[in-house]
């Protein structure tokens, strides 16, 4: 008798695989945050100045440290963005493992991977700038297209293609 998997079993295994991938990535966010630093766009990052300018008084340094560098989107430091995205990945990984929350978690992962496209595009732009290196160009040229299958995989777990 041939073994056949139901669609539900296939989706459960796929969700567990994506969950494992997200957990490994979340762990890496905290163990090797510098790996993710290039894909956090500068326009999202607040620049912390505390301790750098000795000519300023304490109030000026504090005001400079809390002011967004590049506008309204620069609400966290690069390190904080990396930590928050690691926490979001860990939460999504758990959500994918729980059947009642799987669809919502998969939608969240789809949105998260889609949002990460901006960081990958920005990293690629910087890699091909005058300050970019051949190594950065290779890495980011390969890294950007990997987002597409991840987005499609997460979207499939959300049940977007199923009609019933």
């Amino acid at each position: 008798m041939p073994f056949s998997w139901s669609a539900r079993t296939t989706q459960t295994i796929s969700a567990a695989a994506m969950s494992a991938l997200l957990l490994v990535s979340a762990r890496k966010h905290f163990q090797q945050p510098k790996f993710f630093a290039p894909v956090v766009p500068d326009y999202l990052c607040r620049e912390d100045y505390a301790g750098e300018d000795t000519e300023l008084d304490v109030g000026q340094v504090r005001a400079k440290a809390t002011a967004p560098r590049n506008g309204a989107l620069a609400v966290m430091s690069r390190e904080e963005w990396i930590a928050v995205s690691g926490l979001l990945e860990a939460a999504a990984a758990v959500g994918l493992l729980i059947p009642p929350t799987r669809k919502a978690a998969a939608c969240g992962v789809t949105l998260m991977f889609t949002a990460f496209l901006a960081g990958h595009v920005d990293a690629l732009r910087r890699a091909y700038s005058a300050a970019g290196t051949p190594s950065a160009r290779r890495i980011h040229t390969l890294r950007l297209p990997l987002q597409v299958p991840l987005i499609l995989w997460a979207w499939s777990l959300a049940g977007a293609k199923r009609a019933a």
Side-chain angles (χ1 to χ4, degrees), residues 31-140:
Q31 288 183 330
Q32 297 175 321
K34 288 183 181 185
F35 177 80
F36 297 96
V39 294
V40 180
D42 290 337
Y43 58 82
L44 289 179
C45 299
R46 182 186 73 233
E47 191 170 309
D48 291 329
Y49 292 95
E52 287 182 19
D53 295 348
T54 55
E55 297 174 13
L56 301 175
D57 70 4
V58 175
Q60 289 172 316
V61 170
R62 191 172 295 130
K64 219 176 168 185
T66 58
R69 176 173 80 173
N70 293 322
L73 294 177
V75 295
M76 293 189 282
S77 69
R78 188 173 310 278
E79 294 77 17
E80 290 168 336
W81 279 112
I82 293 167
V84 166
S85 63
L87 290 172
L88 288 173
E89 287 184 358
V94 172
L96 288 172
L97 293 175
I98 303 168
T101 63
R102 183 172 296 149
K103 184 173 182 171
C107 288
V109 172
T110 302
L111 291 172
M112 183 175 65
F113 285 154
T114 303
F116 288 172
L117 278 173
H120 289 287
V121 168
D122 189 60
L124 188 63
R125 179 193 58 78
R126 282 183 277 121
Y128 280 92
S129 72
T133 64
S135 174
R137 289 181 187 110
R138 277 192 305 276
I139 289 167
H140 296 296

Side-chain angles (χ1 to χ4, degrees), residues 1 9 19 23 25-26 34 43 50-52 71 81 90 99-101 115 127 141 147 157 159 161:
M1 179 161 101
T9 301
S19 178
L23 284 173
S25 178
K34 288 183 181 185
Y43 58 82
E52 287 182 19
W81 279 112
T101 63
T141 299
Q147 288 302 110
L157 290 173
K161 293 182 182 176

